[in-house]
């Protein structure tokens, strides 16, 4: 009888252990869902606070890579400012190998884009080949990226981009294929990213001068205020360059306003090509341009300004068979906590503007530096 009683006790204990195990699994699963929801809130907050397209794309890439444990990722997006008729990869990628001989572009008229806009899902490349068998050209291009997953960024039946996930980082015991839970997770991230990309694209268009493709004055000052506050907090230098095309009126008067537009576009391109991605160039008004150089001291700012001035001076323009040369004058101001602690973006730009007019007064085609209220 004692043995029987012991047997019943063991059975009851085993049953309780099984129930406890099941309960612990439910709790663990619940806690994971709570954690993932908190992660999504943080991701959403990150996307919503980034209004510039390039930093936003960079943020999306790193978040997707971290969440899905992949070695790299890239995003195909439309450049509305350049009237692109396709989704291009451009430099919107990290950690994936690019073949320089291939144009990474997906036409807006392709079967692949049509399929994406009709199907709110994520796909492996073999799955896409099965669903869209006649998109051969795009598949050949995508295959060179070795994607583990292709994720459309859909918002209201509009394709705002295509996220390509690279090779997965395998951990012991982890399955090679994406689980349904992981697919749902990356799809949620893609939904948040699609809204952010759409909004950033609208801001990009609204804040950009259509002729020169440089930022407009109001947007430039808005960003400069933030950068100035950050430079003060981090004790960093922040430089402003102000440029004005010398004798610009003669181009309009001699060859017409279309020629003047051509000159503005040429100068804007040289300025934009001469600065880093983290810097910002602006069409300040008429033939004036402003540049913000982040974390740059006076020596660095002068090197950039001189590089721009020399490139413009050395370039010969041809407009309707007329050869033209032009020059540009520049002024520099530098924010410094110790030497020039101005707290107003307007004041810092005004200093550069005063330095610019020193250059004009001293013969043009040169760069002058402002030191606080004192012009050198």
């Amino acid at each position: 009888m004692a043995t029987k009683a012991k047997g019943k006790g063991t059975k009851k204990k085993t049953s309780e252990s099984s129930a406890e195990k099941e309960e612990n699994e439910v709790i663990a699963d619940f806690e994971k869902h709570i954690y993932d929801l908190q992660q999504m809130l943080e991701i959403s907050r990150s996307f919503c606070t980034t209004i510039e397209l390039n930093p936003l794309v960079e943020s999306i890439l790193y978040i997707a890579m971290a969440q899905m444990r992949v070695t790299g990722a890239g995003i195909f997006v439309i450049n509305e400012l350049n009237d692109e008729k396709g989704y291009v990869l451009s430099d919107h990628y990290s950690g994936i190998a690019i073949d320089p001989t291939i144009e990474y572009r997906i036409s807006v008229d392709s079967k692949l884009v049509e399929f994406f806009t009709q199907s709110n899902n994520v796909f492996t490349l073999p799955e896409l080949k099965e669903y869209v068998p006649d998109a051969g050209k795009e598949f050949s291009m995508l295959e060179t990226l070795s994607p583990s997953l292709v994720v459309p960024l859909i918002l209201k039946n509009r394709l705002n981009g295509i996220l390509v996930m690279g090779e997965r980082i395998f951990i012991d015991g982890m399955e090679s294929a994406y689980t349904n839970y992981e697919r749902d997770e990356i799809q949620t991230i893609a939904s948040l990213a699609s809204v952010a990309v759409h909004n950033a694209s609208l801001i990009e268009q609204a804040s950009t001068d259509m002729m020169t493709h440089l930022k407009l004055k109001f947007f430039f000052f808005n960003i400069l205020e933030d950068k100035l506050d950050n430079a003060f907090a981090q004790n960093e230098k922040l430089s402003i360059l102000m440029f004005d095309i010398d004798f610009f009126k003669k181009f309009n008067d001699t060859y017409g306003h279309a020629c003047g537009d051509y000159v503005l576009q040429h100068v804007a391109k040289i300025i934009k090509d001469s600065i880093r991605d983290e810097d910002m160039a602006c069409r300040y008004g008429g033939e004036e341009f402003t540049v913000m150089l982040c974390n740059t001291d006076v020596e660095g700012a002068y090197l950039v300004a001189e590089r721009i001035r020399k490139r413009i001076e050395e370039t010969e323009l041809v407009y309707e068979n007329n050869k033209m040369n032009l020059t540009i004058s520049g002024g520099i101001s530098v924010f410094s906590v110790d030497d020039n602690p101005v707290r107003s973006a307007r004041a810092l730009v005004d200093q550069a503007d005063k330095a610019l007019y020193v250059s004009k007064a001293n013969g043009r085609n040169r760069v002058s530096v402002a030191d606080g209220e004192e012009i050198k």
Side-chain angles (χ1 to χ4, degrees), residues 120-138:
N120 189 20
N121 211 330
V122 301
F123 308 92
T124 63
L125 202 56
E127 288 170 347
L128 278 180
K129 287 182 178 180
E130 181 181 345
Y131 295 133
V132 197
D134 52 350
K137 184 179 178 181
E138 282 84 2

Side-chain angles (χ1 to χ4, degrees), residues 60-61 64 73-76 149-153 161-165 186 190:
I60 293 170
L61 292 178
I75 297 182
F76 290 78
L149 205 64
V150 180
V151 186
L153 307 184
I162 303 166
L163 173 63
V164 177
M165 310 297 293
I186 191 61

Side-chain angles (χ1 to χ4, degrees), residues 26-44:
V26 170
I27 292 173
D29 190 52
F30 181 75
E31 289 176 343
K32 175 174 172 52
H33 279 281
I34 293 295
Y35 174 79
D36 288 342
L37 283 173
Q38 291 173 336
Q39 288 285 94
M40 290 303 160
L41 285 173
E42 288 300 318
I43 290 170
S44 179

